[in-house]
Amino acid sequence: MAAALAMAAVLATGGLWLYTLLRANLLDNTTGRTELAARKVAAQVDSRTLPRGGRLPAPERGVDLVLVRDAQGRTVATSGDPADTPDLGELRPGPDGGSRAGAGDGSGDDSRSAVLAPERPGAERRVAVAVETAGPPGAHAPHTVYAMTVLGDVDDATGAVAAGLLAGAPPLIGFAAALAWWVTGHALRPVTAIRSELSAVTASELDRRVPDPGGADEIAQLARTVNDTLDRLERADARQRQFTADASHELRNPLAAVRSRLEVALAMDRPDRESVAAALADTERLQRIAADLLLLARLDGGPGPRSEPVDLALLAAEDVARRGGPRVALRLDARAPVPAAGDPARLERALANLVDNALRYARAEVVVRAAADTAAGRGWAVLEVADDGPGIPEADRDRVFERFVRLDADRGRASGGTGLGLAIAREIARAHGGDVRALPAPGGGARLVLRIPRR
């Protein structure tokens, strides 16, 4: 509809302009030829070379009639039948002349042209030009030469153009509408395919992808963006399913152990203190898993961390001081304050998780360092925890930060780990605009490096 209306407006404007321009040009040409014929006869009047008997020869170049009248309006000479002289109305030469049909100025002040309306129904319109001349020598009053041309050719030409425009407009409008419909449908066909395929994507069929039409236009970019979004959605769904499965597995084992120990204790005449203590330990483990899951849920979908001044060296010193007497030596290396901006409570939790992990695997010593790093051109505040344990294989240095991942599952459960500590530390660091990486220690072991922007 828009294309049809636009084409109709263009054709109407262009057709009207063409019709007006063509008609004005043809009328000007006809008026010029008519005036030229009148001036030729006026020159003959001035030079007294008019034919005898008042009979003028037929004018040239399609002019139909030339006649000469004196000041009293009597016809002195004519190229047509004197009895069939048309009514010239009020057409007069000079600036005061006029016409019933809308006079227009000629090429000079001594002439006047006008388009004369038909004298009777069915008659043709004519253009008439009046030229004033002084008359033959000895004349006491000026004479007027009139020339007239029938506008049949002009009307026929303009009528043919108008008919052609009117006849050609509907097919052109229809063609424009059909072309716009086809082009729009062809351009939007990939969008329809994208919509159809996207509507078929369900929770159980997240592996489906919309068709990529190729190219670099907006529709192809839309298809690739939708596919990228579906990729992220599928990965997120896979992580969620894996997380749910891991959480269920981690919770099921302590619950089974608590139930069995309580059943044994109830089956005895006197409750077994050892069984009740073991059940209490499993219950505490369940509480730690539940607390870690709750914290991860808050980190995933909750608000961002607070931003306030914090000294990472002071955090490290406080964490080392709270540890008391661990089974291995715990040493602090913080030579100067390390200012940063972040949430002290969450950063303290991330550091505690890194230290807990290092103490679990260290053989003799764990070193906690706090320092500022400006080597990369950007100010970073760094917390580093290094141990002298077995280290982390290079292939597992990214995997250890996934949830419920243990490189030594039996050892992790025996020591009370939940498999969520490093994942929590990484999420806290990323929420602050930083990250956590696992690197090899210079003397063997593992080195976990947490860094966040200083501002």
Side-chain angles (χ1 to χ4, degrees):
M1 182 62 69
L5 291 177
M7 179 60 74
V10 169
L11 289 177
T13 304
L16 182 61
W17 174 81
L18 178 62
Y19 178 85
T20 303
L21 183 65
L22 178 62
R23 181 168 183 81
N25 183 265
L26 292 176
L27 190 59
D28 287 344
N29 290 339
T30 303
T31 303
R33 290 188 284 107
T34 306
E35 181 179 353
L36 181 59
R39 290 191 179 279
K40 287 182 177 181
V41 174
Q44 293 178 342
V45 172
D46 291 340
S47 61
R48 303 186 65 178
T49 57
L50 286 175
R52 296 181 178 276
R55 184 66 179 179
L56 297 174
E60 301 176 351
R61 303 182 62 184
V63 178
D64 295 296
L65 177 66
V66 177
L67 58 89
V68 181
R69 287 182 176 175
D70 58 14
Q72 287 74 32
R74 295 188 299 267
T75 300
V76 177
T78 180
S79 63
D81 186 358
D84 191 21
T85 302
D87 181 15
L88 296 175
E90 299 177 357
L91 181 62
R92 294 289 186 271
D96 297 329
S99 171
R100 297 172 301 175
D105 289 337
S107 60
D109 292 340
D110 62 342
S111 67
R112 176 73 67 173
S113 64
V115 177
L116 303 180
E119 298 177 353
R120 58 184 182 277
E124 295 178 313
R125 298 181 312 127
R126 292 166 295 178
V127 61
V129 176
V131 177
E132 185 178 47
T133 178
H140 300 288
H143 287 50
T144 304
V145 179
Y146 295 93
M148 288 180 294
T149 303
V150 176
L151 296 178
D153 294 341
V154 176
D155 292 339
D156 290 344
T158 53
V161 171
L165 291 174
L166 292 176
L172 288 176
I173 293 174
F175 174 76
L179 181 62
W181 181 271
W182 181 84
V183 170
T184 305
H186 183 74
L188 296 181
R189 192 174 298 126
V191 178
T192 303
I194 292 173
R195 180 190 59 80
S196 301
E197 191 66 24
L198 194 59
S199 63
V201 176
T202 61
S204 60
E205 295 183 348
L206 288 176
D207 58 335
R208 302 187 65 148
R209 296 295 180 267
V210 301
D212 187 350
D217 58 4
E218 288 78 4
I219 297 178
Q221 295 175 4
L222 172 64
R224 298 184 189 112
T225 302
V226 170
N227 284 334
D228 291 341
T229 303
L230 291 176
D231 288 339
R232 293 193 297 270
L233 181 62
E234 184 180 15
R235 290 194 297 268
D237 181 73
R239 287 194 300 267
Q240 180 182 4
R241 291 176 185 272
Q242 185 63 38
F243 179 74
T244 303
D246 292 341
S248 301
H249 177 74
E250 294 293 331
L251 293 173
R252 184 172 61 248
N253 291 338
L255 285 174
V258 170
R259 178 176 178 176
S260 63
R261 295 180 187 279
L262 291 177
E263 287 176 348
V264 169
L266 290 175
M268 300 176 64
D269 293 337
R270 294 181 63 186
D272 184 5
R273 188 175 183 84
E274 182 180 353
S275 297
V276 174
L280 179 60
D282 287 334
T283 303
E284 291 175 352
R285 175 177 169 78
L286 283 174
Q287 288 179 332
R288 289 196 299 271
I289 293 176
D292 288 345
L293 290 176
L294 179 60
L295 178 57
L296 279 174
R298 289 174 177 172
L299 292 174
D300 286 340
R306 294 180 301 163
S307 181
E308 59 183 72
V310 59
D311 183 2
L312 297 190
L314 181 60
L315 284 183
E318 291 175 347
D319 184 84
V320 171
R322 281 195 301 267
R323 297 286 173 175
R327 69 175 184 85
V328 297
L330 182 60
R331 185 165 58 89
L332 174 66
D333 182 6
R335 296 181 175 84
V338 182
D343 188 333
R346 290 190 178 182
L347 291 174
E348 182 182 349
R349 176 61 185 274
L351 175 61
N353 288 356
L354 297 181
V355 175
D356 287 341
N357 181 82
L359 290 173
R360 190 174 298 121
Y361 295 101
R363 294 189 179 98
E365 184 183 43
V366 172
V367 179
V368 180
R369 295 187 180 91
D373 181 13
T374 59
R378 178 180 179 184
W380 293 98
V382 180
L383 283 172
E384 181 180 308
V385 180
D387 64 70
D388 57 354
I392 303 174
E394 184 177 359
D396 296 324
R397 287 174 189 170
D398 289 331
R399 199 169 68 88
V400 293
F401 295 103
E402 297 178 4
R403 302 173 184 186
F404 294 114
V405 169
R406 296 186 188 90
L407 302 184
D408 189 349
D410 294 335
R411 183 178 179 180
R413 289 194 177 93
S415 59
T418 63
L420 297 174
L422 295 184
I424 291 174
R426 183 182 64 175
E427 294 299 330
I428 291 175
R430 288 182 174 179
H432 284 79
D435 203 355
V436 180
R437 294 184 300 166
L439 301 172
R447 186 162 58 101
L448 301 178
V449 180
L450 180 151
R451 67 175 188 170
I452 61 174
R454 300 183 63 180
R455 294 180 178 84

